[in-house]
Amino acid sequence: MNNREHFSSKLGIIAAVTGSAIGLGNIWKFSYMVGKHGGDTFIVVYLLAIILMGFPLF
């Protein structure tokens, strides 16, 4: 009954957590900094590109 998948090593867990943190930092902090300094149009294009490329990868 307990057929859940799991990581095969601690290195896999560290890589997954690190990738997640870097990805979230890229999306949220970069967008905030660009918007704060007048790059509102770039933010719209950037988020649109993330959505259009991200959904097919899921």
Side-chain angles (χ1 to χ4, degrees), residues 18-50:
T18 303
S20 176
I22 291 171
L24 286 174
N26 180 38
I27 291 171
W28 294 114
K29 185 175 181 185
F30 178 71
S31 301
Y32 169 75
M33 295 299 289
V34 170
K36 183 178 176 184
H37 297 290
D40 297 331
T41 304
F42 179 76
I43 292 294
V44 172
V45 173
Y46 180 72
L47 292 176
L48 185 63
I50 289 173

Side-chain angles (χ1 to χ4, degrees), residues 6-21:
H6 60 279
F7 287 100
S8 60
S9 69
K10 289 185 181 182
L11 183 61
I13 295 170
I14 292 170
V17 171
T18 303
S20 176

